Amino acid sequence: MTRILLRIANAIVSIVVLLSLTIAGAYAGYALWDNSRIYSAAEDVQADMIKLKPKTEEGEDGPTFAELLNVNPDVCGWVTLDNTKIDHPIVQGQDNMCYINTDVYGNFSLAGSIFLDSRNQNDFSDTVSLLYGHHMEHSGMFGDLDLYKDPDFFRENKTGTLITPDETYDLEIFACLLTEASDKEIFEPTDWHSNNLHSFEPYIQENALSLRQDVLDALLEQENPHILVLSTCSSEFTDARTIVLATMTPHRLGAEEEA
């Protein structure tokens, strides 16, 4: 009798283990499928949007900003960082939760959108304009900000472009920082507006993984400087954030040819 009960118990345990493994396998398979679906959806949106990337030169063939605004009137810019896959429209919602899980079409998406802090002016006229984007694998959204943590990549790659309805800006990346999500020095853009940028120089130097001091020095001498801050999640510690800082200079037509 004892042997029979033991066999029954062993059989039950085996069934339970088999069911657990089956459920775990099914969940893992679903998680992989769901993760793939999220990345695929983000890539599809970016591929569609690239077709509407506004032209930057007079006389150049290509879409206008009006075409982007027809897709979503919340679009306020387009950011590109050279030699990365960061090439996205920028939106701004009524608050900073609006586009965390919403794509540029207004559809639910875990990849969200690249968005401008709701406290910023949507024409990027503030001293500091703050952009957010999810950190995604395979260079999705702001995933490629990680590249700037490599000193060699940082040294060799410093250019980008910000397009707005009224202006095109040349971006020059001058710092890559690692900080916390609660860091008010970065995530309170109104503080940047009310203080002289000289007060932030020690903070930038202290927290920078890489820094172009000459660019920062030149920036501090400007009467009306403009900085673009790009932020994404990082894995170094809880609530870590990778930050890239870039100067904004109005694009001068023909500058590339002269250079």
Side-chain angles (χ1 to χ4, degrees):
M1 187 66 172
T2 301
R3 291 183 177 179
I4 294 175
L5 291 175
L6 184 59
R7 289 177 181 174
I8 294 173
N10 287 337
I12 292 174
V13 170
S14 297
I15 292 172
V16 169
V17 170
L18 180 61
L19 286 174
S20 298
L21 291 174
T22 300
I23 293 172
Y27 179 79
Y30 170 79
L32 289 172
W33 170 82
D34 190 53
N35 192 54
S36 175
R37 182 176 59 85
I38 292 169
Y39 283 100
S40 178
E43 290 171 357
D44 289 345
V45 169
Q46 185 180 18
D48 287 343
M49 285 293 100
I50 284 291
K51 300 172 185 176
L52 296 178
K53 182 177 179 179
K55 60 184 180 182
T56 59
E57 298 284 357
E58 291 183 6
E60 179 184 11
D61 292 331
T64 64
F65 215 98
E67 294 176 63
L68 269 182
L69 294 174
N70 286 335
V71 173
N72 185 343
D74 286 344
V75 174
C76 58
W78 188 291
V79 63
T80 303
L81 297 186
D82 297 332
N83 298 320
T84 76
K85 291 188 177 180
I86 295 174
D87 202 9
H88 301 281
I90 302 166
V91 291
Q92 185 184 45
Q94 293 182 345
D95 57 55
N96 285 339
M97 299 300 294
C98 184
Y99 282 101
I100 282 185
N101 291 323
T102 302
D103 67 23
V104 70
Y105 292 111
N107 300 320
F108 174 78
S109 168
L110 289 176
S113 299
I114 303 303
F115 63 94
L116 176 67
D117 193 291
S118 61
R119 296 163 292 180
N120 277 129
Q121 297 296 317
N122 68 359
D123 61 356
F124 294 86
S125 59
D126 293 321
T127 302
V128 172
S129 298
L130 176 57
L131 300 183
Y132 303 91
H134 285 306
H135 182 282
M136 299 183 68
E137 296 178 359
H138 314 302
S139 301
M141 304 311 287
F142 268 0
D144 269 359
L145 289 185
D146 272 357
L147 296 173
Y148 294 96
K149 291 190 283 190
D150 181 332
D152 291 334
F153 186 88
F154 180 88
R155 183 174 59 254
E156 296 170 6
N157 298 275
K158 63 178 182 178
T159 58
T161 307
L162 172 67
I163 308 170
T164 74
D166 302 315
E167 184 69 85
T168 296
Y169 296 92
D170 294 326
L171 302 178
E172 183 174 14
I173 295 162
F174 68 92
C176 179
L177 292 73
L178 186 65
T179 187
E180 297 178 351
S182 59
D183 193 336
K184 292 185 177 181
E185 296 283 1
I186 292 293
F187 297 106
E188 292 292 341
T190 52
D191 287 347
W192 291 74
H193 306 162
S194 60
N195 289 278
N196 190 300
L197 284 180
H198 285 274
S199 65
F200 292 97
E201 181 181 13
Y203 168 83
I204 293 172
Q205 291 177 333
E206 180 181 349
N207 291 276
L209 301 174
S210 295
L211 174 65
R212 292 186 174 90
Q213 185 65 48
D214 59 330
V215 178
L216 177 58
D217 291 341
L219 181 71
L220 295 172
E221 293 177 0
Q222 294 180 21
E223 184 176 344
N224 187 27
H226 293 285
I227 298 174
L228 188 67
V229 179
L230 302 92
S231 168
T232 194
C233 296
S234 198
S235 60
E236 283 81 358
F237 50 84
T238 302
D239 288 336
R241 295 293 184 271
T242 298
I243 306 295
V244 169
L245 305 180
T247 63
M248 295 168 48
T249 304
H251 180 69
R252 186 160 57 92
L253 293 178
E256 293 87 349
E257 288 81 356
E258 294 177 10

